[in-house]
Amino acid sequence: MAGYTLYWKPGTGSMVVEAALRLIGVAFDKVQVDDTARPEFLALNPAAKVPVLVCASGPVIAESAAILMALDDLFPETRLLPPHGTPAHTTAVQWLVFMATNIYPAARRYYYPALHTVDTSPEAAEAIRQQAALDMDLDFAQLAAEIEGPFLLGQTMTIADVYAAMLADWYEPARQTPEIAALVRHVLENPAVSDAWRHHGFGK
Ligand SMILES: N[C@@H](CCC(=O)N[C@@H](CS)C(=O)NCC(=O)O)C(=O)O
């Protein structure tokens, strides 16, 4: 058994965690979760969501941004994020949290609007979906305006760039933004990232 086990599902946010593990180059096992409501999986994450990373040393970590920050702490030499204590580190963490708490949930409302209202009418679901699109338009515009180019923080890719590319793959209008399109192109030039991208069925 490897030191890390990634619980994953195609097309989901586990992609960025797989990319991080591949960038680090550490051995890891993969467990595909077909049903997040199964008791064995709920014991790992009662929120019934992937990704989850189980570390052989003990910790079980849920929440994509938390997993990435934990991996950065464990393997600082990989530079998933800029060095601790630098302004660049703080900025990268800010973007990670911004994306995880704003864009990721908006994408969920966009694709699964009926799960986000007690009103069962098609009109209610459509209203949720339209608002989610407006929210993502604003959030991606904010992100695009801050991209130094080609990556968020300039010439060096961080895991926040991979996160941004993942979210953009879920929302076509984001990919029309030239700054984001360029970021995605550059992110995918990294073989570790493009392997995780393909394995998760992104880019379709
Ligand atoms: N805040 C969580 C969100 C995770 C999330 O929403 N995961 C979705 C897939 S993208 C999920 O597992 N949904 C339940 C399912 O697919 O059964 C994170 O950042 O990890």
Side-chain angles (χ1 to χ4, degrees):
M1 182 186 144
Y4 297 90
T5 303
L6 174 64
Y7 288 76
W8 75 287
K9 229 178 145 171
T12 73
S14 49
M15 194 289 295
V16 68
V17 178
E18 179 176 339
L21 290 162
R22 288 179 182 270
L23 285 164
I24 291 164
V26 70
F28 63 100
D29 293 323
K30 295 189 278 290
V31 176
Q32 184 169 340
V33 183
D34 296 319
D35 179 2
T36 50
R38 284 173 73 95
E40 308 87 274
F41 185 71
L42 289 178
L44 294 175
N45 185 11
K49 285 180 179 154
V50 290
V52 170
L53 186 69
V54 176
C55 311
S57 58
V60 176
I61 320 169
E63 293 297 327
S64 53
I67 299 170
L68 298 173
M69 288 189 262
L71 286 173
D72 178 58
D73 280 342
L74 288 162
F75 300 96
E77 64 285 355
T78 302
R79 295 266 190 274
L80 291 175
L81 295 169
H84 279 241
T86 63
H89 181 90
T90 311
T91 306
V93 167
Q94 179 206 296
W95 282 118
L96 262 187
V97 173
F98 175 81
M99 291 186 284
T101 58
N102 292 283
I103 307 183
Y104 199 142
R108 302 261 316 149
R109 293 196 300 279
Y110 184 75
Y111 282 104
Y112 308 104
L115 297 180
H116 295 89
T117 171
V118 290
D119 184 338
T120 53
S121 68
E123 293 77 16
E126 184 52 27
I128 297 276
R129 184 177 148 86
Q130 284 182 22
Q131 184 61 55
L134 292 174
D135 292 345
M136 280 194 284
D137 289 342
L138 276 181
D139 292 340
F140 274 115
Q142 189 181 334
L143 185 82
E146 297 294 328
I147 294 174
E148 285 183 27
F151 300 112
L152 259 166
L153 299 178
Q155 294 298 319
T156 306
M157 184 184 85
T158 73
I159 204 66
D161 295 297
V162 184
Y163 207 113
M166 175 179 84
L167 296 177
D169 201 59
W170 291 340
Y171 188 56
E172 212 264 333
R175 301 197 300 279
Q176 307 287 339
T177 313
E179 294 84 355
I180 295 179
L183 178 145
V184 172
R185 251 195 337 271
H186 280 81
V187 159
L188 291 178
E189 282 171 9
N190 186 297
V193 177
S194 63
D195 282 352
W197 190 267
R198 255 195 318 276
H199 177 242
H200 266 75
F202 275 66
K204 291 194 173 143

